[in-house]
Amino acid sequence: MSGQPDNGRRRRLWVWPVVVGVGGPVLAFTIGLDVAHSLMIGLAVALVVAGSRVIGLGDQAVWPRLPFGRRDGARRDVSSLSWSLYGQQRELTGSGRRRLRRVCLDTLELAGYSLDTPDGVRAVEDLLGRPVTAFLIDEDQPAPDLRGVQRTLTALTAVPLRKAHR
């Protein structure tokens, strides 16, 4: 193949401009426009649609695909959530980094841990480890990898929370 679209693709390329070129004037005439304006609107819309098909306007956007078959249900929701947290290289995305940091800081605050004192920093290091603590103190530090996130969330779930302040 020399890069030329096959006959089926060529035919599909011109289906919508023809449909719009015929259906547009009929619709415009039906709603009350005169014949000349109806034909002009149909021709203009058909040219826009044909132009967008020729330059491949919609072909430039590529949506990410999950590596497995998708089904409705809770597993689908969880996989979609995890895809919003992890990028292509299985590292946290920017929004994933912010969300993890916020969850960790909020949970530590509710549990009574403070990153403002040396003793508090040591206690958080004992709980979550030095790399995660460094990430929580300075957001420019590297975020934990997938296993580090799992260990962090598991450790945070085991922490007893104080009662809410009143």
Side-chain angles (χ1 to χ4, degrees):
M1 296 201 93
S2 62
Q4 295 290 335
D6 62 2
N7 283 338
R9 172 140 167 81
R10 229 181 272 146
R11 220 176 292 122
R12 282 192 311 265
L13 188 68
W14 296 104
V15 168
W16 281 110
V18 170
V19 168
V20 171
V22 173
V26 170
L27 180 64
F29 185 73
T30 304
I31 63 171
L33 292 177
D34 59 40
V35 174
H37 285 103
S38 298
L39 291 174
M40 179 107 55
I41 288 174
L43 177 65
V45 173
L47 287 174
V48 168
V49 171
S52 69
R53 302 288 282 186
V54 167
I55 64 172
L57 196 61
D59 296 342
Q60 295 173 4
V62 178
W63 293 92
R65 300 216 184 271
L66 293 175
F68 51 85
R70 291 190 66 155
R71 296 185 298 249
D72 289 336
R75 283 186 176 173
R76 175 180 171 207
D77 296 339
V78 169
S79 69
S80 295
L81 177 62
S82 68
W83 271 71
S84 71
L85 292 176
Y86 297 103
Q88 297 292 337
Q89 285 77 24
R90 296 187 53 88
E91 61 187 23
L92 283 173
T93 61
S95 93
R97 290 172 57 93
R98 286 188 300 276
R99 290 170 75 180
L100 175 67
R101 196 161 186 277
R102 184 79 271 147
V103 164
C104 289
L105 292 174
D106 289 348
T107 305
L108 290 172
E109 181 183 343
L110 283 173
Y113 289 89
S114 172
L115 290 171
D116 297 331
T117 65
D119 290 338
V121 170
R122 258 184 256 109
V124 173
E125 282 179 354
D126 291 342
L127 178 68
L128 302 177
R130 184 167 287 166
V132 176
T133 305
F135 168 69
L136 294 177
I137 293 172
D138 180 12
E139 62 187 79
D140 292 331
Q141 293 293 318
D145 61 355
L146 177 61
R147 288 201 174 115
V149 170
Q150 290 171 341
R151 282 191 304 270
T152 300
L153 294 178
T154 301
L156 287 176
T157 6
V159 172
L161 302 179
R162 298 182 303 179
K163 291 186 177 181
H165 300 287
R166 295 189 187 235

